[in-house]
Amino acid sequence: MLAGETHSWTNLGLDEHGEMYAVIDGLATFGRVPQALDRLILGHLPLDIS
């Protein structure tokens, strides 16, 4: 993940409904697949849900 010129690793998860989650100092979501893949590839940050 690239954010604010920092380079760090994050864990991604996918639930049974197709919701893609990221664990970044809490829980965040990219939304549901296939839109989540678009957001991830285009470099959008996930929405914080924690």
Side-chain angles (χ1 to χ4, degrees), residues 13-46:
L14 192 63
D15 71 9
E16 64 273 6
H17 303 290
E19 188 85 14
M20 183 180 290
Y21 297 99
V23 181
I24 311 170
D25 297 329
L27 192 59
T29 182
F30 282 102
R32 289 194 176 184
V33 173
Q35 292 85 8
L37 293 174
D38 291 339
R39 290 180 53 83
L40 180 65
I41 291 167
L42 293 173
H44 294 268
L45 292 175

